[in-house]
Amino acid sequence: SQTIHQWPATLVQPVGSPLSLECTVEGTSNPNLYWYRQAAGRGLQLLFYSVGIGQISSEVPQNLSASRPQDRQFILSSKKLLLSDSGFYLCAWAVSGANVLTFGAGSRLTVL
Amino acid sequence: DAKTTQPPSMDCAEGRAANLPCNHSTISGNEYVYWYRQIHSQGPQYIIHGLKNNETNEMASLIITEDRKSSTLILPHATLRDTAVYYCIGQTGANNLFFGTGTRLTVIP
């Protein structure tokens, strides 16, 4: 069966510090991978998605970047965090060509 | 691109059916309607999706109007564990499901 792992679960970082959130998927090959962000009391906003190794599409210009160094690994990064980067970050995967998403447990980021 | 409109909140008595409405008047002919739910502080969970026909699975039923401008998610016997935010989602492009703010369903004992 397929599983998705996301870490760290919680993170408190000062403004201006770097960020790295990691997501890995097991039990499938060539998945579509996604990073979403959810600000407090808001809906989910798609940040990045990837349909293959090294391929990243950005939906919203911002202070963040994503990379996919391996087929089942998706990384969200920032060089310098802003207060507005605080939120609940969710990684998800889907079978290539399908739209049924399976989400990870999320990473809660607080920037102080 | 299909955007959806849902009531911000609803209550339902435990054991009764929960009927969650969604308007998607701009949906195009080949766009599916998806439903997810998010229990507090967890990742969203897929529930069901449909195009034209009504759909049913072990979690819920989805009723789509003939003109496809609205749909209703039905939880036949709501339990306290069904308390969550329910998202009705339109598909906007091959790789983007647009999540709005959803309906916060509270199941009352």
Side-chain angles (χ1 to χ4, degrees):
Chain A
S1 63
Q2 301 89 5
T3 56
I4 179 168
H5 303 280
Q6 188 179 338
W7 69 94
T10 60
L11 197 59
V12 179
Q13 292 286 99
V15 169
S17 65
L19 170 73
S20 181
L21 301 178
E22 189 163 344
C23 173
T24 58
V25 180
E26 296 177 358
T28 188
S29 297
N30 195 32
N32 287 352
L33 296 172
Y34 305 81
W35 278 111
Y36 282 83
R37 176 171 63 195
Q38 186 174 35
R42 306 287 295 275
L44 279 73
Q45 178 188 35
L46 179 64
L47 302 176
F48 302 95
Y49 68 89
S50 171
V51 299
I53 295 174
Q55 188 281 329
I56 307 294
S57 295
S58 174
E59 289 294 309
V60 181
Q62 60 216 316
N63 185 41
L64 303 168
S65 62
S67 62
R68 184 170 178 174
Q70 301 181 43
D71 181 44
R72 291 168 291 173
Q73 183 184 27
F74 206 24
I75 298 171
L76 183 70
S77 303
S78 174
K79 292 183 179 178
K80 289 186 178 182
L81 284 169
L82 306 172
L83 287 174
S84 58
D85 291 324
S86 292
F88 191 44
Y89 288 82
L90 290 151
C91 180
W93 76 273
V95 172
S96 178
N99 271 316
V100 176
L101 298 172
T102 301
F103 285 85
S107 298
R108 189 165 301 281
L109 170 66
T110 303
V111 182
L112 301 175
Chain B
D1 293 343
K3 298 297 173 66
T4 61
T5 303
Q6 299 176 256
S9 63
M10 291 181 63
D11 292 339
C12 177
E14 187 179 16
R16 305 295 294 271
N19 298 291
L20 293 96
C22 179
N23 288 323
H24 33 78
S25 57
T26 62
I27 197 169
S28 65
N30 60 349
E31 289 180 341
Y32 284 76
V33 177
Y34 293 78
W35 284 82
Y36 285 74
R37 73 179 182 185
Q38 186 176 22
I39 296 170
H40 182 62
S41 296
Q42 297 183 21
Q45 175 191 24
Y46 165 79
I47 300 173
I48 200 167
H49 73 283
L51 183 63
K52 293 182 181 179
N53 300 323
N54 298 336
E55 302 287 345
T56 295
N57 63 21
E58 65 278 5
M59 292 183 68
S61 295
L62 175 61
I63 308 298
I64 303 174
T65 58
E66 192 170 341
D67 62 9
R68 301 207 333 117
K69 292 186 177 181
S70 66
S71 61
T72 300
L73 180 75
I74 301 172
L75 308 179
H77 305 286
T79 71
L80 297 179
R81 287 178 292 182
D82 292 323
T83 292
V85 177
Y86 287 77
Y87 297 98
C88 169
I89 297 158
Q91 176 185 350
T92 64
N95 282 296
N96 192 357
L97 295 181
F98 176 79
F99 285 78
T101 52
T103 296
R104 182 174 298 279
L105 175 69
T106 302
V107 180
I108 302 169

